Amino acid sequence: MNKTKLRNGYTTGACATATSVAAFNALISGRWEDKITIQLPRGNQATFELCYKHLESNWAQAGTIKDAGDDPDITHGAEVRSKVWIDNSIKGIQFRGGQGIGIITKPGLPLPVGEPAINPVPREMIRSSIQTVANELQVDANVVVEISIANGSELAKKTWNPRLGIEGGLSILGTTGIVKPFSCSAWIASIHMGIDVAKTNGAKHVCASTGSVSELSAQKHFGLPDWAMLDMGDFVGGTLKYLRKHPIPNLTIAGGFGKISKLANGAGDLHSKRSQVDFEFLYQLALSDQNLNNTMPLNDILSANTANQVIEICGDKIAQLVAKKAQSVAATMLQNAPINVNIMIVDRQGQIRASTHNDGLNNF
């Protein structure tokens, strides 16, 4: 069977590097290139077309349209611009955040509070690329680089940035310069940053949720701040692996019955393409409970079409059994890390159907 190969794209960091180099080159040489080629961190090259060029006597600004390939990236199609000007009162390159770039307001991220959210790898890409051009043109690279993204402040509302303490806009991201479609690396990196921010800010309790409904219910139930909420999605294994090395005393995992049942059955990835609800597993779990075994038509579990039908058959008792089993599995994945785990099962209406937080997790 023929499969269409998905097309790679480029990160905002790669776009910002290309536009910064283009602007610096124009400022020094007095001429523009229609395309600009840069070196990416792993040695390969990438070429970008410029959609915007403006040159004055003391500054230059260039723009390119971000192409994320076939990845559903929130910044796909956004215009990334760099404005560059010479400042011989400084040594080397300084960074500023222009329109649409967020400012870091909480500790725990890889840059200090008050800095524009231009991550370390993109900064190094820009520095080394501008220095290469400066060496070729035999000039000093004492410049200010101001990055901006059109409509970035609005786009940022759809990202993790507000809860990470990055206010007012987007981040300039990327460690390789390349976006691989559906690699989910950006999502997992956001989970890691969320844990870092929570830990640095002294969190004693964080909640990792599979979706917005379970997140809102858990946040309301425990009264947690936004920065203690981790939009885990399907990546429970990746979340637990990172927490294993960066522990926070109390963890709640909140999600729907179907996804939590997958965790209870040992799945670390809850996506429907990589794990399925196992009705035989649920049947055996129900069978192990004396009360359910005596009072419920458990054979109906095996012919259920959805996980929610299992709750309809067995009631909240099966949800509590699944939560308890998932708690045990999560604790095993944490490998004796000093973390108390609570599992919360939330239905589509936001009602809490099961929770283990009374099992030793009373001091949130």
Side-chain angles (χ1 to χ4, degrees):
M1 181 175 64
N2 292 327
K3 292 185 178 180
T4 302
K5 184 177 180 180
L6 295 175
R7 188 171 59 88
N8 288 344
Y10 295 105
T11 63
T12 49
C15 294
T17 300
T19 53
S20 298
V21 170
F24 178 73
N25 184 70
L27 183 61
I28 301 302
S29 68
R31 65 179 187 275
W32 287 102
E33 303 290 341
D34 290 329
K35 297 180 179 180
I36 191 78
T37 299
I38 63 168
Q39 194 89 0
L40 299 177
R42 294 184 178 176
N44 47 334
Q45 293 184 328
T47 299
F48 297 80
E49 293 187 7
L50 300 180
C51 68
Y52 177 84
K53 295 175 283 189
H54 189 96
L55 177 61
E56 296 285 344
S57 60
N58 58 346
W59 61 270
Q61 188 174 33
T64 191
I65 301 298
K66 181 184 171 180
D67 180 2
D70 290 323
D71 192 72
D73 191 300
I74 192 70
T75 55
H76 177 70
E79 184 180 350
V80 180
R81 289 189 182 185
S82 295
K83 182 178 180 180
V84 177
W85 62 92
I86 295 171
D87 185 349
N88 286 317
S89 68
I90 63 174
K91 184 68 175 176
I93 298 170
Q94 288 189 359
F95 293 93
R96 293 188 184 173
Q99 180 182 11
I101 301 300
I103 299 296
I104 294 170
T105 65
K106 288 185 182 296
L109 293 166
L111 293 165
V113 170
E115 279 290 306
I118 304 168
N119 273 18
V121 171
R123 288 183 185 227
E124 182 54 36
M125 289 171 64
I126 293 169
R127 282 194 186 97
S128 61
S129 297
I130 286 180
Q131 189 61 57
T132 297
V133 174
N135 292 342
E136 292 173 355
L137 299 177
Q138 298 182 332
V139 297
D140 292 328
N142 300 325
V143 297
V144 178
V145 176
E146 182 182 273
I147 311 297
S148 60
I149 297 180
N151 201 36
S153 58
E154 288 301 312
L155 292 173
K157 295 175 183 177
K158 303 175 183 179
T159 72
W160 274 61
N161 277 17
R163 70 178 59 188
L164 291 174
I166 301 172
E167 295 185 358
L170 292 164
S171 304
I172 299 298
L173 302 171
T175 55
T176 66
I178 294 174
V179 174
K180 294 185 177 180
F182 300 98
S183 68
C184 304
S185 58
W187 194 328
I188 293 171
S190 293
I191 294 171
H192 293 177
M193 285 192 290
I195 292 168
D196 290 343
V197 167
K199 190 173 178 65
T200 302
N201 284 276
K204 301 301 182 185
H205 180 198
V206 292
C207 175
S209 62
T210 62
S212 59
V213 174
S214 56
E215 178 181 84
L216 288 171
S217 295
Q219 184 173 24
K220 181 180 179 180
H221 182 79
F222 291 111
L224 293 171
D226 287 344
W227 50 264
M229 306 304 294
L230 307 173
D231 184 6
M232 173 183 71
D234 294 317
F235 304 110
V236 63
T239 302
L240 292 171
K241 181 178 179 180
Y242 196 75
L243 280 166
R244 194 166 68 216
K245 297 179 180 179
H246 306 83
I248 291 173
N250 296 294
L251 166 68
T252 292
I253 296 174
F257 178 72
K259 288 189 182 291
I260 297 300
S261 76
K262 295 179 186 181
L263 171 61
N265 200 20
D269 188 331
L270 308 181
H271 194 281
S272 59
K273 290 185 177 179
R274 292 176 286 276
S275 60
Q276 290 76 41
V277 174
D278 187 336
F279 294 100
E280 174 66 29
F281 165 75
L282 293 174
Y283 170 73
Q284 294 296 335
L285 192 63
L287 204 62
S288 68
D289 184 86
Q290 191 65 38
N291 292 328
L292 281 176
N293 196 5
N294 290 337
T295 62
M296 299 293 178
L298 298 187
N299 284 336
D300 290 352
I301 295 174
L302 298 174
S303 58
N305 292 318
T306 66
N308 286 332
Q309 277 187 284
V310 177
I311 291 187
E312 292 175 6
I313 295 166
C314 300
D316 287 349
K317 180 63 177 178
I318 188 67
Q320 190 64 31
L321 290 172
V322 165
K324 187 66 177 174
K325 181 66 174 177
Q327 182 186 42
S328 175
V329 170
T332 299
M333 289 182 176
L334 286 168
Q335 296 182 358
N336 298 318
I339 302 173
N340 294 315
V341 186
N342 166 43
I343 304 295
M344 180 178 285
I345 293 177
V346 180
D347 66 21
R348 292 173 181 172
Q349 287 71 47
Q351 298 299 309
I352 298 171
R353 305 300 292 268
S355 177
T356 63
H357 84 271
N358 290 322
D359 299 335
L361 282 167
N362 297 312
N363 297 314
F364 289 156

